[in-house]
Amino acid sequence: MKHITIADIAREAGVSKATVSRVLSKSNLVSEKTANRISSVIEKYSYIPNVLAQGLAGKPTRNIGVIVDEFPNNFYIDLADGIDKVVSANNYTFQVMSSQWEPERELEGVHSMLKSRVDGLLITPVSCDSPAVLELKKSGIPFVLINSKSEDPDVSYVCCDNYKGGALLAEHVNSLGHEQVIIVSVFDHETVRDRIRGFEDTLRAGALPVIRYANAKTYNDGYELAPTVAEYGSITEKKTSLFVTNDYVAIGFITRFLEMGISIPRQAAVAGFDDIRLSSICRVPLTSVSQSVCEMGRTAAEYLLNLIKKSSRFPFRKLIDPHLVIRESTKM
Amino acid sequence: MKHITIADIAREAGVSKATVSRVLSKSNLVSEKTANRISSVIEKYSYIPNVLAQGLAGKPTRNIGVIVDEFPNNFYIDLADGIDKVVSANNYTFQVMSSQWEPERELEGVHSMLKSRVDGLLITPVSCDSPAVLELKKSGIPFVLINSKSEDPDVSYVCCDNYKGGALLAEHVNSLGHEQVIIVSVFDHETVRDRIRGFEDTLRAGALPVIRYANAKTYNDGYELAPTVAEYGSITEKKTSLFVTNDYVAIGFITRFLEMGISIPRQAAVAGFDDIRLSSICRVPLTSVSQSVCEMGRTAAEYLLNLIKKSSRFPFRKLIDPHLVIRESTKM
DNA sequence: CTGTTAGCGCCTTCAC
DNA sequence: GTGAAGGCGCTAACAG
């Protein structure tokens, strides 16, 4: 089944390809009469111009690339939603890839996107100086980092103010007046480090050293880790505040604690970060720091479109303001 | 910043464009020596061929389109994950759009995808005979329906066996021996209708009429609707089984019931459908019918790639087998 | 207002 | 093995 082309339309309408092209791009240098005639032919054959050819001939593809770390986390849903809202409203499309947290895969993703001539790129980079980001800079294509900051004055980003989020939480924890504080760092990423820095800087003295636990990304990981932490911190003896740097994992902790007979928040107060949907619905609703991921997606997409339109040549940088949501898991 | 082209490489390597093109497509009609020379030039300039031009010249784009109803639901995450797995493993990319459940938007989506010359298309259609699906058939492009079935012998689909899922649940409910059964149909979609049919066909007599409630898609909708249903069904007087055709909404019901002092499952047993992550973690873990959405995505993508490769000209049809997960919300 | 003429970057015969 | 030439479908000057 052969695709019909602009030439077919032109022939049928008895005009030149150029004229058809003009009505396609809504140029008003065409008499209304011929424009109508052409339009009806286009209708008749339900002709759809070939974007590849258009792109090759110099028009922007109106397609942007999105590279995320992985799909199956709550972050991506909201992000996609936010991006979709502005992208589709502006008649752009987007294609997605996942890096699976692997820098090489991320780089491949960038190459693949570049190959297909996206007009711009949104990326939640594995790290702010991963090869992919460097490659993007070299390429000269507009791009915006999401959930990552950059020292480089030329790169745009949208990120939650994780430092502040950590600080907010620490203030709350301070007010709880517990005998000890345990921090579980579940994942090694710049955003997580910021959360912890903000938390530690604001916390009154007396915190236990941070427990680092790489790759505790899931509910199950938290569930598994809970007994170790309980023992390490002698939670049954000292009133404890526990800060887990990620909600999903925090909920795993809570579930296990309850099973172990540790009462939340009486014996141990637990707080998370991200304020995912689950957090308000789970067994003991979780105190958490909320960052609007959907807004992040929206903002980043808007920035990117601006960069593409060259409405501004300056990079955009935005720290989204987090806020604290106090729920039962820390209510004394 | 000008893109370097095949001509640049050819010149630099002292060969013709054709030869470069040959090494690009790994043709073995090139002497190893020149091939190596060309490769190193390609390396040196980190040259990336222009997919638009390649596509225009007749090569497949290796890009497939995915149209989903909306992003912010649990379905999409797992679907994207499944699709990504097979698509990226086969060196394809994909672009996504959301229909927002609007048939016109869905149709636009198809057009947009067609315009950008995707090699094939995956879609969770608003309905199996929406204009978008018709258009797809007309276009002749390979496509697979997800979460929808079709009578049409020419169209491929991957769908959960929702009828069976409903039946499984009904058997369980039968064993509970309640005084009444209430069905809340939260959403008007063919899959939901199948669930209910399966449920009703298998249920022993004595069920209350189905309560239809369009657009109850969210947790909050369930939360709001709960009192009405409780009153309508005199839940406080009769031991009741409640089947809500969607987990997220079911959890909203449960939360509100608990607040109203209705004990789950003693006074009312509640079951859902989908087995989303939340269901095992929420306050009263929810009995639900599990369909592996990730598998659905994977299977659909595999089918599509087969169709694209023309390994088979026959449409594929697959009903994914659901299974029942019994949790506290119905444990007597 | 409309048609003509060049490309855009690549692939694919067809010769050599 | 390799090069030359034509064409994929469209847009963007440049003429009328």
Side-chain angles (χ1 to χ4, degrees):
Chain A
M1 143 143 205
K2 201 67 193 55
H3 273 132
I4 37 181
T5 74
I6 197 170
D8 300 326
I9 303 297
R11 193 178 330 105
E12 177 90 8
V15 295
S16 74
K17 294 192 296 174
T19 309
V20 178
S21 173
R22 287 193 186 99
V23 334
L24 246 35
S25 46
K26 306 198 197 318
S27 152
N28 43 6
L29 309 140
V30 186
S31 82
E32 196 164 330
K33 216 180 86 195
T34 50
N36 283 143
R37 181 155 41 91
I38 294 173
S39 295
S40 71
V41 178
I42 290 179
E43 276 296 315
K44 175 176 164 196
Y45 291 92
S46 56
Y47 158 70
I48 299 179
N50 183 329
V51 166
L52 303 183
Q54 291 185 143
L56 192 55
K59 267 181 65 165
T61 56
R62 295 191 87 79
N63 181 234
I64 71 173
V66 177
I67 299 180
V68 298
D69 37 50
E70 55 172 9
F71 294 114
N73 67 29
N74 302 274
F75 197 83
Y76 173 65
I77 296 195
D78 291 320
L79 197 64
D81 192 35
I83 293 173
D84 180 47
K85 281 202 172 67
V86 354
V87 157
S88 70
N90 285 278
N91 247 299
Y92 274 74
T93 57
F94 68 105
Q95 60 192 107
V96 292
M97 304 200 68
S98 69
S99 69
Q100 306 294 340
W101 302 100
E102 296 163 17
E104 320 80 58
R105 226 187 109 116
E106 186 177 61
L107 184 59
E108 277 174 38
V110 168
H111 282 151
S112 163
M113 295 291 188
L114 255 30
K115 269 196 352 190
S116 56
R117 294 298 187 264
V118 292
D119 290 342
L121 212 120
L122 258 22
I123 181 171
T124 63
V126 173
S127 85
C128 62
D129 50 4
S130 64
V133 177
L134 299 179
E135 190 79 0
L136 277 173
K137 279 180 53 185
K138 252 179 43 188
S139 79
I141 193 180
F143 69 100
V144 177
L145 265 35
I146 297 179
N147 204 34
S148 179
K149 292 181 301 185
S150 174
E151 305 294 323
D152 190 322
D154 291 334
V155 342
S156 302
Y157 63 77
V158 175
C159 189
C160 171
D161 190 342
N162 286 287
Y163 183 90
K164 180 174 173 187
L168 284 174
L169 199 51
E171 282 170 16
H172 175 58
V173 167
N174 281 338
S175 79
L176 261 32
H178 280 166
E179 295 174 72
Q180 71 174 352
V181 175
I182 300 178
I183 305 171
V184 179
S185 164
V186 294
F187 193 61
D188 188 35
H189 190 266
E190 32 173 319
T191 56
V192 173
R193 289 192 290 272
D194 283 349
R195 291 169 189 187
I196 293 181
R197 271 201 310 114
F199 187 82
E200 287 182 328
D201 287 356
T202 313
L203 197 65
R204 277 204 307 265
L208 274 189
V210 173
I211 301 179
R212 302 250 172 214
Y213 195 78
N215 289 323
K217 298 201 299 192
T218 68
Y219 169 85
N220 254 327
D221 294 338
Y223 186 88
E224 301 294 346
L225 189 55
T228 311
V229 171
E231 185 179 3
Y232 169 77
S234 317
I235 281 185
T236 45
E237 287 147 37
K238 300 184 210 158
K239 290 196 74 170
T240 303
S241 281
L242 185 71
F243 170 32
V244 185
T245 56
N246 165 315
D247 274 6
Y248 205 25
V249 181
I251 292 168
F253 265 92
I254 290 183
T255 307
R256 187 61 169 275
F257 280 162
L258 293 179
E259 287 177 16
M260 295 167 68
I262 298 173
S263 123
I264 313 286
R266 208 159 34 76
Q267 283 180 277
V270 180
F273 206 111
D274 283 346
D275 193 30
I276 62 180
R277 286 152 217 255
L278 240 163
S279 302
S280 59
I281 303 176
C282 58
R283 228 165 274 173
V284 180
L286 181 70
T287 291
S288 184
V289 177
S290 168
Q291 55 171 330
S292 173
V293 177
C294 179
E295 186 192 336
M296 248 162 88
R298 225 167 33 221
T299 309
E302 278 163 5
Y303 280 4
L304 183 62
L305 294 191
N306 280 335
L307 287 175
I308 291 174
K309 290 179 203 140
K310 301 264 188 298
S311 335
S312 164
R313 303 198 43 221
F314 300 108
F316 293 98
R317 290 132 170 286
K318 174 148 182 175
L319 283 185
I320 301 250
D321 222 23
H323 64 275
L324 183 65
V325 182
I326 300 176
R327 300 206 182 87
E328 292 176 30
S329 71
T330 63
K331 267 184 194 149
M332 303 273 69
Chain B
M1 141 144 209
K2 201 67 193 50
H3 274 130
I4 38 181
T5 74
I6 198 172
D8 301 327
I9 303 297
R11 193 178 329 108
E12 177 89 9
V15 295
S16 74
K17 295 193 295 174
T19 309
V20 178
S21 173
R22 288 192 185 100
V23 334
L24 246 36
S25 45
K26 307 197 197 317
S27 153
N28 44 5
L29 310 139
V30 185
S31 80
E32 197 164 330
K33 215 180 86 194
T34 50
N36 283 144
R37 182 155 39 92
I38 294 173
S39 295
S40 71
V41 178
I42 289 179
E43 277 295 316
K44 175 176 166 195
Y45 291 92
S46 57
Y47 159 70
I48 300 180
N50 184 328
V51 166
L52 302 182
Q54 291 185 143
L56 191 56
K59 269 182 62 167
T61 56
R62 294 191 89 78
N63 181 236
I64 73 172
V66 177
I67 299 181
V68 298
D69 37 51
E70 55 173 9
F71 294 114
N73 66 30
N74 302 274
F75 196 83
Y76 173 65
I77 297 195
D78 291 321
L79 197 64
D81 192 36
I83 293 173
D84 180 46
K85 281 201 173 68
V86 352
V87 157
S88 69
N90 285 278
N91 247 298
Y92 274 74
T93 58
F94 68 106
Q95 61 191 107
V96 292
M97 305 201 66
S98 70
S99 69
Q100 306 295 339
W101 302 99
E102 295 164 19
E104 319 83 55
R105 227 186 107 115
E106 186 177 61
L107 184 58
E108 276 174 39
V110 168
H111 282 151
S112 163
M113 295 291 188
L114 255 30
K115 271 198 347 192
S116 56
R117 294 297 186 266
V118 293
D119 290 341
L121 211 121
L122 257 22
I123 180 171
T124 63
V126 173
S127 85
C128 64
D129 51 3
S130 65
V133 177
L134 300 179
E135 190 79 1
L136 277 173
K137 279 181 54 185
K138 251 178 42 187
S139 79
I141 192 179
F143 68 101
V144 177
L145 265 34
I146 297 179
N147 203 33
S148 179
K149 293 181 301 186
S150 174
E151 305 295 324
D152 190 323
D154 291 333
V155 340
S156 302
Y157 63 77
V158 175
C159 189
C160 171
D161 190 342
N162 286 288
Y163 183 90
K164 181 175 173 189
L168 284 175
L169 199 51
E171 282 170 17
H172 174 58
V173 166
N174 282 338
S175 78
L176 260 32
H178 280 166
E179 296 174 71
Q180 71 174 350
V181 176
I182 300 179
I183 304 171
V184 179
S185 162
V186 294
F187 192 61
D188 187 36
H189 190 265
E190 32 174 319
T191 56
V192 174
R193 288 192 291 272
D194 283 349
R195 291 168 189 189
I196 292 181
R197 271 200 312 111
F199 188 83
E200 287 182 328
D201 286 358
T202 312
L203 196 65
R204 278 204 307 266
L208 274 188
V210 173
I211 300 180
R212 301 249 172 215
Y213 194 77
N215 288 323
K217 297 200 300 191
T218 67
Y219 169 85
N220 253 327
D221 294 337
Y223 186 88
E224 301 294 344
L225 189 55
T228 311
V229 171
E231 184 178 5
Y232 168 78
S234 317
I235 282 184
T236 46
E237 288 145 37
K238 300 182 209 159
K239 289 194 75 169
T240 303
S241 282
L242 185 70
F243 170 32
V244 185
T245 56
N246 165 316
D247 274 7
Y248 205 25
V249 182
I251 292 168
F253 266 91
I254 291 184
T255 307
R256 186 61 169 272
F257 280 163
L258 293 179
E259 287 177 16
M260 295 167 69
I262 298 172
S263 122
I264 313 287
R266 208 159 35 75
Q267 283 179 279
V270 180
F273 205 110
D274 283 346
D275 192 30
I276 62 180
R277 287 151 216 255
L278 238 163
S279 303
S280 58
I281 303 176
C282 58
R283 230 165 274 174
V284 180
L286 181 69
T287 291
S288 185
V289 177
S290 170
Q291 54 171 331
S292 173
V293 177
C294 179
E295 186 191 335
M296 248 164 89
R298 223 167 34 222
T299 308
E302 277 162 5
Y303 281 4
L304 183 62
L305 294 191
N306 279 336
L307 287 175
I308 291 175
K309 290 179 203 140
K310 300 265 189 299
S311 335
S312 165
R313 303 198 42 220
F314 300 109
F316 294 98
R317 292 131 170 286
K318 172 148 184 177
L319 282 185
I320 302 250
D321 223 22
H323 63 275
L324 183 64
V325 182
I326 299 177
R327 300 203 182 87
E328 293 176 30
S329 71
T330 63
K331 265 183 195 150
M332 304 274 67

